[in-house]
Amino acid sequence: MKNLSGSDAAKKNAAEKACELVTDGMIVGLGTGSTVAHSIRLLGRWVKEEGLNIVGVPTSYSTEALAIECGIPLTSLAASPVLDIAIDGADQVDASLNAIKGGGAAHTREKIVASSAKQFVIVADDKKFSSILDRSVPTEVLPYAVKLVEREILKLGGTCTVRTGTGKDGPIITDNGNFVLDCAFGQIKEPALLGDKLSRIPGLVEHGIFTNAAMVYVGYENRVEVLRRKM
């Protein structure tokens, strides 16, 4: 699912620029994926070398491992239910700051963390920016409900594919023990409306349409463009 066409320099530029929003004393939501990994590494350097006083809330086992490796102290949503900021990547984002996430199958925890933050910030390379969302929408689904969800997605004009893994037989299993269905709808002209309809499907735990970003940092080879939500 992941689109790896963006350059690492562009990803790094966006991710590191967004770190300027992080200040002493913050509780920081740490997203999942190759772009936000640059943010985590830089924040870790600031913690070790400059004494930056932050704690992080990871969105996946892989992010937790990276944050520990980088020396970022961690907490949980149970202990810290309101975060100051959450920084995460995206698989695709449009000019209205709507995004599709879940290429790494972590979108349920990513959405919980993003929704727990006072400010949700997306970092992405320029290849992820699009005038209109048209990628398949990842959905996390209870294994018990797969056939029901597939039928309901079909009613909404979508088609589903169960995501399978490499190095193992059968479906990808999320950190929450569920399946991922990648659901193609073509061009998504009303992301919020589609997201609301998906959320009503029994057994669909969470979908990958995000509409709550306050800012998007779009990285290019030699610059960063910052998009802000219009109030």
Side-chain angles (χ1 to χ4, degrees):
M1 273 295 296
K2 278 290 187 181
N3 179 359
L4 301 177
S5 60
S7 77
D8 195 60
K11 293 178 182 181
K12 186 176 182 180
N13 286 341
E16 294 192 345
K17 184 68 175 176
C19 288
E20 296 176 4
L21 298 170
V22 178
T23 58
D24 253 7
M26 280 190 168
I27 306 170
V28 183
L30 304 174
T32 298
S34 60
T35 303
V36 75
H38 290 293
S39 294
I40 295 169
R41 293 186 184 100
L42 179 58
L43 291 174
R45 289 200 297 274
W46 288 353
V47 168
K48 290 179 179 179
E49 299 172 8
E50 301 180 19
L52 178 67
N53 177 29
I54 61 170
V55 292
V57 174
T59 53
S60 64
Y61 294 134
S62 61
T63 294
E64 179 181 26
L66 178 60
I68 291 170
E69 177 186 328
C70 293
I72 299 175
L74 297 179
T75 185
S76 67
L77 286 176
S80 303
V82 179
L83 313 181
D84 295 293
I85 190 172
I87 302 175
D88 208 343
D91 301 316
Q92 191 175 53
V93 62
D94 68 16
S96 297
L97 279 60
N98 302 305
I100 293 176
K101 294 174 48 55
H107 52 284
T108 296
R109 296 191 185 192
E110 288 172 337
K111 187 168 287 187
I112 291 168
V113 167
S115 299
S116 299
K118 297 175 184 177
Q119 186 177 40
F120 172 43
V121 177
I122 289 175
V123 292
D125 63 79
D126 58 302
K127 301 298 184 183
K128 308 290 176 56
F129 189 75
S130 176
S131 58
I132 188 167
L133 300 180
D134 59 7
R135 282 182 63 93
S136 293
V137 178
T139 60
E140 181 165 351
V141 177
L142 295 174
Y144 188 71
V146 167
K147 292 303 179 182
L148 169 63
V149 173
E150 287 177 336
R151 291 199 304 271
E152 294 301 312
I153 294 291
L154 189 61
K155 293 177 185 177
L156 296 178
T159 57
C160 296
T161 303
V162 177
R163 191 183 301 180
T164 56
T166 56
K168 71 177 289 289
D169 293 329
I172 287 284
I173 305 299
T174 71
D175 288 355
N176 308 308
N178 298 314
F179 291 177
V180 175
L181 300 184
D182 293 310
C183 306
F185 294 94
Q187 291 189 340
I188 303 173
K189 297 180 180 180
E190 297 181 279
L193 179 60
L194 177 58
D196 287 343
K197 291 179 179 179
L198 292 172
S199 294
R200 297 191 190 109
I201 299 175
L204 194 157
V205 178
E206 193 52 83
H207 59 79
I209 296 176
F210 285 61
T211 59
N212 62 327
M215 304 170 69
V216 174
Y217 283 67
V218 182
Y220 296 81
E221 288 283 341
N222 57 359
R223 63 187 176 89
V224 177
E225 182 178 357
V226 183
L227 308 178
R228 292 177 172 83
R229 183 169 295 280
K230 297 177 181 179
M231 304 302 293

